[in-house]
């Protein structure tokens, strides 16, 4: 209904008495007054994420990056200025490119220069009193805060995925262009050999970690019941070794071993991985409510900074094909030397490599003889380098022509990186019925989980023998056991000559060499000779062959 506009005594239309007394549209001076408080934006200490309040940002740093400001405040008894120094120190380190600042000691940030804000108008500095005015420990996360953290995690994962796609596109584009080496050569500036080697090694390393970003490889490992059950059984059956302890999981993958340790009562588990799978591990930990115990850290163990100076236990599933393919044990040894306490425990504790001769094998027929007649065609040209490749296959134990023998035994508490490049002898007796031709060798490994540093394994003992005699948790990747995802390494001889009969001995040496520029691959040399039964007077000449495992 329209308002009345009857003229007043002066003949003017007066509507003021009918206007809304709270309407300030025409009032002067009111437009400068802020109606609402401006929202606060808190920038994360360790990445580019932003948050509406300091509490959720600090919780993000704690759960995503393992940086617990509440714990540091309590540990170092920090007052307000101490917190300011800590914040500015962390921001300065991150700005300089260090995504894992060292916060192991108060002295690293106890400097007046850190009172100067690194980030202009840093809202966090004005919020510190509000965050810490009550308890030094954060209150339990509300459902909304939990959802906010999950969203932040998903955003981080999407950013990582987008970066991977962009890198893949750039790599494809660069491959279609003339290489920098070709351009440099054309311009008369030949690249240095060392530069080329470093570049290849870095790319090989990058590809290695990239391969562990996908589900398939982790699915095959977790579904490997022999492997996963052994770790679970050792951890759960010996909870006293993990109760209230600090555990480091090197190459944590999906986080399954870290979660085993957390369930066993560990006080803190630091899960480290340099591949994109760490984001999935973080989600897995959160989904199982273990984020207060398991802290996920991305990066190489040689480069990250852990939140503790020492750990009580190092757990790792580092084994590759033929045990040492991928060279991950190098990183585990580094972690042991830098972080493991003097009386700390390695899980697993021991490993052995075993070798046995091969005869009457279907593998020779399927991998070698196959090319001699392919749909009626002679395709033996394909055999040029067929014998140079080490095969990863499951071997029937009936194809073994002799008992296996150990040619390398590692005590993981004492093994050095230099021990992983070696030449070691072996000798075994031919046990196959009748006279047979030696077609190759089979190599596999056994793993042992001892409960103390002083507990060893008898020399040459197999996993099955150790389990039966000592009760130690073990598993084997050999033909006599249930197949694992590692299978066995098969080394087919290029020119299988020489007949062996029962009682003959076969002796030789096995050499493991890392490939220059591709240290995660292996060259494996085997030399062998035969000594006939009855005194060994008749000896054949020593034969030698190299195989590539990459």
């Amino acid at each position: 209904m329209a308002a009345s506009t009857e003229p007043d005594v002066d003949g003017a239309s007066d509507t003021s008495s009918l206007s809304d007394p709270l309407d300030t549209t025409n009032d002067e001076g009111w437009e400068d007054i802020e109606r609402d408080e401006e929202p606060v934006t808190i920038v994360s200490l360790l990445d580019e994420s932003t948050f509406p309040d300091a509490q959720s940002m600090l919780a993000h740093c704690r759960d995503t990056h393992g940086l617990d400001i509440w714990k540091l405040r309590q540990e170092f008894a920090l007052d307000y200025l101490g917190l300011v120094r800590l914040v500015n120190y962390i921001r300065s380190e991150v700005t300089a490119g260090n995504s894992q600042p060292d916060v192991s000691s108060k002295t690293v940030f106890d400097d007046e220069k850190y009172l100067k804000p690194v980030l202009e108008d840093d809202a966090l500095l004005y919020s510190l009193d509000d965050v810490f005015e009550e308890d030094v420990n954060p209150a339990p996360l509300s459902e909304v805060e939990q959802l906010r953290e999950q969203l932040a995690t998903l955003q981080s994962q999407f950013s990582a995925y987008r970066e991977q796609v962009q890198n893949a596109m750039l790599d494809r584009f660069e491959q279609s262009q003339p290489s920098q080496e070709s351009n440099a050569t054309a311009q008369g500036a030949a690249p240095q050999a060392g530069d080329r080697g470093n570049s290849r090694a870095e790319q090989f390393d990058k590809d290695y970690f990239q391969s562990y970003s996908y589900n398939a490889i982790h699915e095959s490992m977790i579904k490997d019941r022999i492997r996963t059950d052994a770790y679970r059984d050792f951890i759960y059956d010996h909870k006293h070794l993990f109760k209230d302890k600090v555990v480091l999981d090197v190459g944590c993958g999906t986080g399954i071993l870290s979660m085993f340790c957390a369930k066993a009562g560990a006080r803190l588990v630091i899960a480290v991985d340099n591949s994109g799978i760490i984001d999935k591990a973080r989600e897995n930990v959160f989904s199982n409510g273990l984020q207060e115990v398991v802290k996920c850290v991305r990066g190489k163990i040689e480069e990250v900074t852990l939140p503790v100076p020492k750990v009580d236990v190092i757990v790792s599933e580092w084994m590759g094909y033929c045990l040492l393919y991928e060279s991950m044990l190098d990183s585990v040894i580094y972690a042991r030397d830098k972080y493991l306490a003097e009386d700390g425990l390695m899980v697993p504790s021991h490993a052995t490599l075993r070798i046995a001769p091969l005869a009457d094998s279907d593998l020779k027929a399927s991998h070698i003889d196959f090319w001699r007649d392919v749909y009626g065609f002679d395709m033996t040209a394909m055999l040029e380098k067929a014998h140079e490749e080490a095969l990863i296959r499951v071997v029937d134990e009936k194809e073994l022509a002799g008992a296996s023998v150990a040619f390398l035994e590692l005590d993981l508490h004492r093994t050095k990186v230099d021990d992983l490049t070696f030449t070691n002898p072996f000798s075994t007796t031919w046990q196959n019925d009748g006279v047979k031709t030696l077609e190759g060798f089979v190599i596999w490994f056994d793993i042992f989980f001892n409960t103390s540093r002083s507990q060893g394994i008898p020399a040459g003992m197999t996993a099955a023998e150790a389990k039966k005699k000592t009760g130690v948790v073990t598993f084997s990747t050999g033909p006599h056991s249930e197949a694992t995802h590692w299978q066995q390494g098969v080394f087919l001889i290029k020119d299988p000559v020489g007949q062996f009969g029962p009682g003959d001995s076969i002796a030789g040496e096995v050499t493991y060499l890392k490939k220059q520029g591709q240290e995660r691959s292996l060259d494996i040399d085997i030399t062998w000779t035969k000594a006939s039964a009855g005194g060994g007077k008749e000896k054949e000449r020593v034969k030698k062959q190299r195989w590539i495992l990459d």
Side-chain angles (χ1 to χ4, degrees), residues 137-208:
N137 293 314
L141 295 179
S142 68
E143 184 177 356
V144 173
E145 289 171 325
Q146 290 178 354
L147 290 174
R148 184 183 294 126
E149 287 195 8
Q150 287 179 312
L151 177 60
T153 299
L154 291 173
Q155 289 172 333
S156 173
Q157 292 171 359
F158 176 76
S159 297
Y161 171 76
R162 182 174 58 190
E163 181 180 354
Q164 290 175 5
V165 172
Q166 290 173 341
N167 289 340
M169 293 176 67
L170 286 172
D171 289 343
R172 185 174 300 178
F173 174 79
E174 289 173 357
Q175 289 171 5
S176 68
Q177 305 299 313
S179 68
Q180 292 182 357
E181 288 185 21
S182 299
N183 292 339
T185 303
Q187 295 169 11
Q192 297 297 313
D195 294 338
R196 292 196 300 269
N198 291 337
S199 177
R200 285 195 299 269
E202 290 171 3
Q203 184 61 42
F204 192 80
D205 213 40
K206 178 181 178 182
D207 293 342
Y208 166 74

Side-chain angles (χ1 to χ4, degrees), residues 321-323 354 358 363 390-397 399-400 441-445 476-491 549:
Y321 296 131
C322 297
L323 189 64
R354 307 188 71 84
L358 181 73
L363 289 170
L391 306 178
I392 302 301
R393 300 287 191 276
V394 174
V395 177
D396 189 328
E397 61 179 296
E399 298 175 314
L400 301 182
F441 298 91
V442 184
I443 288 178
W444 66 88
F445 61 88
S476 176
T477 63
H480 301 287
S481 305
E482 182 177 334
T484 69
H485 76 280
W486 288 287
Q487 304 178 71
Q488 292 97 42
V490 179
F491 302 81
L549 184 57

Side-chain angles (χ1 to χ4, degrees), residues 203-261:
Q203 184 61 42
F204 192 80
D205 213 40
K206 178 181 178 182
D207 293 342
Y208 166 74
F209 286 112
Q210 182 69 22
S211 70
Y212 278 88
S213 298
Y214 306 107
N215 276 15
I217 191 169
H218 296 283
E219 180 179 352
S220 69
M221 289 190 291
I222 291 179
K223 285 183 175 179
D224 184 341
R225 186 182 62 82
I226 299 300
R227 167 251 196 204
T228 308
D229 282 7
Y231 279 90
R232 180 203 61 190
D233 292 348
F234 178 78
I235 294 170
Y236 284 0
D237 291 348
H238 302 88
K239 291 184 178 179
H240 65 283
L241 299 175
F242 297 86
K243 179 68 174 175
D244 297 326
K245 298 296 177 61
V246 177
V247 180
L248 172 60
D249 183 355
V250 182
C252 67
T254 60
I256 183 68
L257 302 186
S258 293
M259 292 189 286
F260 283 159
C261 294

Side-chain angles (χ1 to χ4, degrees), residues 272-309:
V272 180
D273 204 295
N274 193 39
S275 78
I277 198 65
I278 192 71
D279 294 324
K280 294 296 183 183
R282 189 174 290 113
E283 284 190 74
N284 293 335
V285 168
F286 188 87
S287 297
N288 289 278
L290 298 172
Q291 66 272 17
E292 295 300 321
V293 176
V294 181
K295 306 302 179 184
C296 297
V297 178
R298 179 165 187 174
K300 294 182 179 181
I301 190 63
E302 295 88 347
E303 298 175 358
V304 301
T305 300
L306 300 189
V308 295

Side-chain angles (χ1 to χ4, degrees), residues 523-544:
D523 285 342
I524 298 178
D525 294 348
I526 302 178
T527 63
W528 68 94
T529 189
K530 166 190 172 184
S532 299
K537 294 181 180 179
E538 176 191 347
K539 272 199 171 184
E540 294 189 349
R541 66 183 180 87
V542 175
K543 301 177 179 64
K544 181 177 182 179

Side-chain angles (χ1 to χ4, degrees), residues 369-388:
D369 297 341
F370 162 77
W371 295 108
R372 305 188 190 283
D373 184 355
V374 182
Y375 289 90
F377 297 99
D378 181 347
M379 299 183 68
T380 52
M382 304 300 297
L383 294 176
E384 181 181 0
K385 293 188 176 181
H387 291 90
E388 297 178 10

Side-chain angles (χ1 to χ4, degrees), residues 330-347:
D330 295 27
S331 296
V332 176
I333 292 173
Y334 173 90
R336 179 201 68 192
D337 292 344
K338 183 170 184 179
Y339 293 112
L340 187 62
E342 187 174 347
D343 58 347
L345 182 66
M346 297 292 291
V347 178

Side-chain angles (χ1 to χ4, degrees), residues 112-127:
E112 295 300 314
K113 68 179 182 180
Y114 293 123
L115 290 175
K116 181 180 179 180
V118 174
L119 185 66
E120 187 176 357
D121 297 326
D122 190 350
L124 174 60
L125 299 178
Y126 303 106
S127 306

